[in-house]
Amino acid sequence: MPRVSALTLNAEQQAAVVYGDGPLVVFAGAGSGKTRVITQRVAHLIEKRNVPPWRVLAVTFTNKAAREMRARLEQLIPGQASSLWVGTFHAVCARLLRAHHEQIGLRRDFVIYDDSDQRSLIARVMRALEIDDRVYAPKQMAFQINAAKQEGIGPAEFEARDPLTRVAREVYALYEERLAAASALDFGDLIFRLVQAMRKDPALKQALQARFEYVLVDEFQDVNHVQFAFVQMLCEVHHNLCVVGDDDQSIYRWRGADRRNILDFRNHFPDAHIIKLEQNYRSTQRILRVANSIVGRNLDREPKELWTSNEPGAAITVMACEDERDEANLVGHAIRMLLESGLALNDIAILYRTHAQSRAFEEVLRRSNTPYRVFGGLRFYDRAEVKDLLGYLRIIANPEDDVSLLRVINVPARGIGKTTIERLIDAASRAGTSVNTALLDVANDPAHNGATRKKLEGFVQLMAALRAFAAREDSPAEISRHVLDVTGYAEVLRVEDTPEADSRLENIGEVLSSMEQYAADAEKPSLTEFLETITLETDQDRKNADNAITMMTVHAAKGLEFPAVFVGGLEEEMFPRIREGAADEHEELEEERRLAYVAFTRARERLFMSYANTRRLYGDLKIRRRSRFIDEAPPEELHVVGVKRAPAQSSYGGGYTNRSTNRSGYSSGYSSYSAPSKPPAREPRDGPYVDRSEANDVSEIHPGMRVRHTKFGVGEVTGVSGGMPPRVTVQFEDGPRQIVSSFLTPA
DNA sequence: TATGATTCCATTTTT
DNA sequence: TGGAATCATA
């Protein structure tokens, strides 16, 4: 496939690079060389127009994008890229908040709370307000608060229209108080607080406006209202704002991103110049035709159409499948063929709408020993052991950080129990102080009684010692080793000596090495700076060089490309997933179309779509209908393979018709053992197949019987009690135990 | 305080 | 259905 040379730009790209002062919007379709334009433009400003690099601010949404941009600039303008301001909205704002912390009224060492820190603080606030979390979901509260911050609305201006928002407002207000007491900011605050400060303090605003003479924003379709306000304020005077984005790739409406920011850019900047990049250098003609045909049906979009001088390419394959297992098998089969034809594992991606869909694919790939990696799920930095270690580091840097303090005060167990902790929290909220202050009060007050106070005092002294150590040592890794050592955290895990404990130690090791990496890269390593980097970092940023098939949601795939892409689950209610009857149903549908557009334009050469006629969902079998998106594609571009939908309209075609599974049924071996109504038994993995339902049958379990438990091993049943489910007394090697029968299998 | 049991939830998640 | 979060109890 001819890729564009690194040196040449097409006419539109060139125009965007050299465009002079004043506002500029670049609509950059998928694969149109957007990143090149933005980096070249920055280089052009500095080299040709003599703008000092520190006067240029380039904002991205991900750390990865920021790093890539900086790396490319390093090559384009050697030696000058380091003084450029390149970063995510969050990182840039955090840096500015720290630089101006005094004017803004923040402690220099403020911590940043991520979503899970936020959630635990909200839960605590709700408990303090005696709000029943079964009536008002903490998640709802978090959503309301985050949405408010995205709109630039504080608790005072927060409008309460119904019971839910009335409660949310109350929670929001106290949440803010607690954040302040903890010297903490959440993600939303990083931008909101800076915007507030700029509004309140004209001197600060002018200083920042003067500082950043040129501002560039990538992925502008994804900015929310506060982010827009921030950018707008920065550029109020000089107007040198260049935004690059693609309204067709806006897939984060539900997170506050507003496409109007790019679509109506001219309302805010009437003299804005518009450039559209419509030539795609990534995909084949067929892929683009399909993608265009779908997104082109949206009514609310900036008119444009991607084209390419690439080859027409292979037909798009649509795989019609029986169910999700069939789908996975077909995909697995196609993957094998692609690999045989010379593609590498890294060249292939399986994309889906929801994480839950990954399982079937994983099973098939595992069975065929095909290396794969699944993105998403539990984030590395959310692992308990990682958060524990970081929790210690955070309260070393900022003793007021309540969420971290409460996290580690009894980890590893040091006899500070629930009641004691509850009392501390109570005392803090009564006095309106941080929990740490309450802790110091109790630990230093001789009036309090013996044992508890001793333990709290011990913890206070431990922390004081750790802080003293951290004061002499600025390598985060060294500090961490000391923490792990002195607290006994590492020791506890070593003694435990289970596979889980080992993997925890390994994860901690990985954090330590990322600290060493950081110390090696940073100009002036500090604990606070490291903590900031790590909380603003996501799994997306953790590079993975393994050669493996990539599996991820369509959302996570934005910005990536692969020679071959499979998009699974193209079924109504799944993709598009819309809530029928919702007030904004049409808006939702259009966003789903954009999502499909993003999915399909990830592919360079081969695109496969699949759907299943039937799918197991939350336990029961659902009949599915193929997605309207398949019908919205030009039929002549699609090559349908797989099961026939109806006898009349068969489109059983060549390509992948040689199915490996025997469709009429698993006849050999198992059918004679299973009742006709039962589904066929699964292929045994290891050992004989045991049907759980039989073991659950009370009549099957009787004293004297030998049974197996996954944890306790084999034992003998000594008694059976009634009830549903029945409980069984089992004599295991290390003693008798009461077990619910469903956890047992015959041995 | 640890661990087994129960309950609850289920779209996407750049920071 | 399956997993994580929360609950109950020895």
Side-chain angles (χ1 to χ4, degrees):
Chain A
M1 170 137 322
R3 305 284 292 164
V4 74
S5 142
L7 297 170
T8 53
L9 294 169
N10 67 35
E12 291 74 30
Q13 291 175 326
Q14 182 69 22
V17 168
V18 303
Y19 183 79
D21 287 351
L24 171 67
V25 204
V26 180
F27 284 97
S32 63
K34 172 193 71 164
T35 314
R36 270 165 27 89
V37 165
I38 228 174
T39 49
Q40 297 267 8
R41 182 171 168 83
V42 171
H44 182 263
L45 287 173
I46 290 161
E47 271 197 318
K48 299 280 159 53
R49 303 184 52 206
N50 297 317
V51 179
W54 60 89
R55 286 286 166 87
V56 178
L57 170 66
V59 192
T60 61
F61 272 87
T62 65
N63 293 302
K64 196 175 152 208
R67 261 197 303 268
E68 278 169 12
M69 194 184 296
R70 197 183 280 283
R72 289 207 201 186
L73 282 162
E74 207 72 68
Q75 314 225 295
L76 289 172
I77 42 169
Q80 305 201 68
S82 57
S83 51
L84 280 166
W85 277 67
V86 178
T88 63
F89 271 103
H90 298 264
V92 165
C93 291
R95 190 169 159 195
L96 291 172
L97 286 170
R98 280 198 216 281
H100 301 277
H101 69 277
E102 263 171 90
Q103 288 146 273
I104 297 169
L106 291 171
R107 184 195 160 94
R108 180 194 284 282
D109 288 335
F110 67 79
V111 287
I112 300 169
Y113 279 179
D114 67 15
D115 292 342
S116 72
D117 300 324
Q118 178 185 51
R119 221 180 37 216
S120 73
L121 183 53
I122 287 175
R124 194 141 52 80
V125 164
M126 288 177 69
R127 232 171 295 138
L129 293 171
E130 296 183 337
I131 294 164
D132 187 342
D133 60 6
R134 282 165 307 188
V135 183
Y136 299 100
K139 225 177 155 187
Q140 263 301 313
M141 298 294 122
F143 178 82
Q144 296 280 339
I145 291 170
N146 292 333
K149 289 186 178 185
Q150 279 160 9
E151 295 299 314
I153 296 168
E157 307 92 62
F158 189 90
E159 259 186 80
R161 307 211 140 272
D162 48 36
L164 179 92
T165 45
R166 218 170 301 132
V167 173
R169 183 194 158 113
E170 220 185 322
V171 174
Y172 187 8
L174 186 57
Y175 170 76
E176 287 297 292
E177 273 179 41
R178 295 292 161 86
L179 271 183
S183 292
L185 298 183
D186 61 26
F187 283 148
D189 281 335
L190 294 176
I191 297 131
F192 182 33
R193 294 292 291 271
L194 188 59
V195 166
Q196 270 184 322
M198 285 168 77
R199 283 191 182 135
K200 244 192 299 184
D201 182 349
L204 176 67
K205 186 168 91 173
Q206 280 160 20
L208 296 180
Q209 284 169 341
R211 152 124 234 184
F212 301 116
E213 219 179 310
Y214 288 85
V215 177
L216 299 96
V217 186
D218 193 10
E219 305 276 20
F220 197 71
Q221 76 281 357
D222 288 339
V223 302
N224 62 35
H225 290 161
V226 219
Q227 288 163 338
F228 186 86
F230 170 60
V231 170
Q232 199 178 20
M233 254 194 283
L234 275 185
C235 303
E236 231 164 44
V237 180
H238 53 65
H239 278 211
N240 292 324
L241 173 61
C242 168
V243 306
V244 181
D246 180 3
D247 56 308
D248 287 334
Q249 290 187 72
S250 165
I251 54 176
Y252 287 104
R253 187 174 86 104
W254 48 278
R255 284 195 103 212
D258 189 348
R259 300 179 323 122
R260 301 258 73 91
N261 288 331
I262 189 165
L263 290 172
D264 303 342
F265 191 75
R266 279 220 258 204
N267 293 352
H268 298 99
F269 296 90
D271 53 334
H273 184 65
I274 296 182
I275 293 177
K276 293 181 187 176
L277 306 181
E278 294 172 280
Q279 180 173 5
N280 170 293
Y281 296 96
R282 178 187 295 155
S283 309
T284 67
Q285 291 176 23
R286 287 206 165 90
I287 290 167
L288 291 186
R289 235 175 275 152
V290 167
N292 279 334
S293 155
I294 291 166
V295 83
R297 288 165 200 265
N298 278 352
L299 303 174
D300 182 23
R301 69 186 280 261
E302 181 71 20
K304 56 190 142 1
E305 185 154 352
L306 277 189
W307 63 276
T308 186
S309 59
N310 290 342
E311 285 143 43
I316 312 307
T317 304
V318 174
M319 305 191 285
C321 313
E322 206 86 74
D323 55 24
E324 72 270 21
R325 281 173 60 190
D326 191 37
E327 180 186 36
N329 281 325
L330 273 184
V331 167
H333 185 245
I335 284 175
R336 243 165 288 139
M337 299 199 31
L338 291 172
L339 293 173
E340 276 165 29
S341 76
L343 280 193
L345 293 163
N346 271 337
D347 294 336
I348 303 171
I350 303 176
L351 309 181
Y352 34 75
R353 182 66 240 266
T354 66
H355 287 300
Q357 289 168 257
S358 74
R359 171 163 299 141
F361 295 116
E362 283 184 72
E363 275 175 19
V364 165
L365 294 179
R366 204 176 321 123
R367 227 183 298 138
S368 62
N369 285 319
T370 312
Y372 64 87
R373 55 171 185 268
V374 182
F375 286 77
L378 186 61
R379 295 152 126 224
F380 180 76
Y381 295 112
D382 279 345
R383 302 266 165 79
E385 59 278 15
V386 177
K387 294 222 85 172
D388 288 343
L389 172 57
L390 296 180
Y392 273 107
L393 298 180
R394 286 173 15 159
I395 47 174
I396 287 171
N398 168 12
E400 310 297 307
D401 177 355
D402 286 353
V403 168
S404 298
L405 177 77
L406 294 172
R407 175 167 193 104
V408 301
I409 192 166
N410 198 32
V411 178
R414 46 176 76 90
I416 302 175
K418 224 189 264 168
T419 334
T420 311
I421 293 173
E422 283 303 322
R423 282 204 195 118
L424 284 176
I425 293 173
D426 269 5
S429 70
R430 260 182 285 115
T433 64
S434 69
V435 176
N436 182 60
T437 308
L439 168 66
L440 292 177
D441 287 348
V442 178
N444 296 326
D445 183 359
H448 278 84
N449 75 341
T452 312
R453 196 193 123 194
K454 262 247 166 65
K455 284 176 182 149
L456 292 178
E457 213 181 339
F459 180 72
V460 168
Q461 277 162 7
L462 173 73
M463 289 315 302
L466 290 175
R467 260 175 223 124
F469 183 89
R472 315 189 283 274
E473 171 65 66
D474 46 28
S475 149
E478 278 312 311
I479 300 172
S480 300
R481 285 199 191 90
H482 189 69
V483 166
L484 292 166
D485 194 31
V486 174
T487 59
Y489 197 97
E491 188 58 23
V492 169
L493 288 178
R494 270 194 294 272
V495 168
E496 206 178 304
D497 195 30
T498 59
E500 293 81 48
D502 288 350
S503 109
R504 293 184 167 199
L505 284 168
E506 253 172 54
N507 289 335
I508 287 174
E510 204 180 313
V511 178
L512 292 179
S513 61
S514 79
M515 287 174 182
E516 266 148 12
Q517 187 61 50
Y518 157 79
D521 295 345
E523 277 172 37
K524 206 173 135 282
S526 78
L527 191 54
T528 307
E529 195 190 65
F530 172 77
L531 290 172
E532 177 177 312
T533 327
I534 211 166
T535 47
L536 294 182
E537 194 96 343
T538 62
D539 275 10
Q540 296 259 327
D541 300 319
R542 300 172 71 242
K543 66 239 157 234
N544 206 330
D546 305 349
N547 189 21
I549 286 175
T550 300
M551 292 173 55
M552 55 171 71
T553 63
V554 179
H555 282 92
K558 201 179 87 172
L560 306 177
E561 61 173 48
F562 304 87
V565 168
F566 292 83
V567 183
L570 276 160
E571 295 144 33
E572 285 294 295
E573 293 177 308
M574 178 91 128
F575 198 179
R577 175 178 285 268
I578 43 177
R579 299 168 303 150
E580 259 173 76
D584 51 359
E585 187 184 332
H586 187 73
E587 289 269 289
E588 288 188 4
L589 174 62
E590 296 214 339
E591 178 137 327
E592 293 290 309
R593 276 213 193 91
R594 294 192 290 270
L595 198 53
Y597 174 77
V598 168
F600 299 155
T601 52
R602 299 310 94 199
R604 275 161 58 177
E605 285 153 36
R606 298 301 307 269
L607 174 60
F608 300 80
M609 308 179 187
S610 56
Y611 68 91
N613 288 326
T614 201
R615 186 177 291 270
R616 202 162 276 285
L617 211 63
Y618 305 144
D620 40 29
L621 202 65
K622 292 271 201 295
I623 307 277
R624 313 322 297 291
R625 204 168 70 246
R626 75 178 198 174
S627 170
R628 67 187 80 183
F629 294 158
I630 293 177
D631 301 313
E632 288 177 357
E636 68 275 14
E637 305 295 358
L638 304 182
H639 175 66
V640 183
V641 302
V643 296
K644 299 177 222 182
R645 235 197 119 46
Q649 35 149 252
S650 140
S651 48
Y652 219 104
Y656 300 101
T657 47
N658 50 339
R659 320 292 301 270
S660 50
T661 40
N662 175 357
R663 201 154 287 292
S664 62
Y666 315 87
S667 52
S668 59
Y670 286 96
S671 60
S672 55
Y673 293 103
S674 55
S677 62
K678 269 200 201 167
R682 229 187 267 211
E683 194 68 26
R685 286 259 169 72
D686 35 22
Y689 176 77
V690 179
D691 188 341
R692 269 274 168 83
S693 59
E694 276 170 30
N696 285 349
D697 189 344
V698 201
S699 63
E700 290 290 311
I701 294 182
H702 52 269
M705 183 183 179
R706 308 272 301 160
V707 291
R708 184 189 302 279
H709 184 274
T710 45
K711 219 178 214 150
F712 306 124
V714 176
E716 189 181 291
V717 175
T718 55
V720 180
S721 73
M724 249 343 255
R727 282 158 185 273
V728 184
T729 313
V730 183
Q731 183 69 37
F732 289 106
E733 214 170 291
D734 32 320
R737 269 174 197 281
Q738 283 270 322
I739 309 278
V740 171
S741 65
S742 56
F743 290 93
L744 299 171
T745 52

